[in-house]
Amino acid sequence: MEYAFFAMIGWCGTKWPGWWRGPRPPQPDPWWWIVSIAGAVGGIVAATVFQPVIGQAGFFATTITALAGGVFAGSIVDGIGGLSNKG
């Protein structure tokens, strides 16, 4: 259940669908699913790796760690996909 929570928070860390109003058009339909899944995996990995450092800091620290991991992983995957975007 803990990993499901980390995945949910990591998924929330991805930038889709709100940021597409910016200067760059969104990727084709399947691409944002890949970014979201990478964010979920990044949330799980970050919260699991930093769990010894966080310790018993509480719910908020664990949530922020999973969110940051999701943002980091989703941004990397989105950047790699953006290299192929000519628009």
Side-chain angles (χ1 to χ4, degrees):
M1 204 59 186
E2 186 177 48
Y3 292 129
F5 174 72
F6 295 155
M8 178 184 65
I9 297 300
W11 183 290
C12 292
T14 57
K15 297 187 222 175
W16 187 264
W19 85 277
W20 60 269
R21 295 181 206 123
R24 188 169 65 115
Q27 298 290 336
D29 189 34
W31 185 252
W32 70 272
W33 279 101
I34 296 169
V35 173
S36 297
I37 290 171
V41 171
I44 292 171
V45 169
T48 304
V49 167
F50 289 110
Q51 190 72 30
V53 177
I54 295 170
Q56 298 299 323
F59 177 75
F60 188 70
T62 305
T63 304
I64 293 300
T65 304
L67 182 74
V71 169
F72 181 73
S75 296
I76 286 177
V77 171
D78 192 37
I80 291 170
L83 292 174
S84 65
N85 189 6
K86 305 270 192 252

